[in-house]
Amino acid sequence: MDKLKNQKGYIILEALVGIIILGLVVTFSVMFFNQIFANSKILLKSDALLLAKQEIDTSINFRTTTDTSYFNQKGNLKVIRNIKAESNIYKAVVTVASDSGKKEILSLSVLYIK
């Protein structure tokens, strides 16, 4: 009996409990990150916001006066820039829509002087 008490190490039950706990942590982590990356709406909106911001920056920096429309590199977002002028003040409205152009994802606008 004294031989068992003096042994150091883990018993198989402790090892199994540790493996089960580790498995649960890994499973919940994978489920959490899978849900974040699988949600295409979040990624699509972040891409749309980046494209709209770039188009607004271009409008401000170059004082553009022309409308433009194009698709992003992936081809899933359509970017439309409309410029409206009133006397010396220009308003640039950038709209990002889905590739079909029917569903608007976001719209940003800016005022600037030419």
Side-chain angles (χ1 to χ4, degrees):
M1 204 56 144
D2 288 334
K3 287 183 179 180
L4 291 177
K5 289 184 180 180
N6 291 336
Q7 288 182 349
K8 294 183 180 181
Y10 298 105
I11 61 174
I12 194 158
L13 186 60
E14 290 173 329
L16 287 175
V17 169
I19 290 171
I20 290 171
I21 291 173
L22 183 64
L24 288 172
V25 168
V26 169
T27 301
F28 287 121
S29 299
V30 167
M31 288 171 44
F32 176 74
F33 286 111
N34 190 24
Q35 187 175 8
I36 288 175
F37 291 117
N39 193 347
S40 62
K41 288 182 182 179
I42 293 174
L43 297 175
L44 192 66
K45 286 184 180 182
S46 67
D47 287 347
L49 186 59
L50 179 66
L51 287 170
K53 182 193 174 307
Q54 288 173 346
E55 203 58 42
I56 289 289
D57 289 344
T58 301
S59 298
I60 293 171
N61 292 336
F62 296 109
R63 308 282 190 217
T64 56
T65 57
T66 58
D67 296 343
T68 186
S69 175
Y70 62 91
F71 286 95
N72 67 338
Q73 289 179 343
K74 295 178 185 175
N76 60 348
L77 295 173
K78 184 176 184 180
V79 180
I80 304 163
R81 179 183 66 207
N82 292 320
I83 306 291
K84 297 175 186 169
E86 287 186 29
S87 59
N88 201 19
I89 298 175
Y90 290 86
K91 180 179 182 181
V93 178
V94 177
T95 304
V96 182
S98 61
D99 57 355
S100 63
K102 294 179 182 177
K103 184 179 176 188
E104 181 179 305
I105 297 172
L106 65 88
S107 180
L108 295 177
S109 61
V110 65
L111 295 172
Y112 58 92
I113 298 174
K114 179 74 176 166

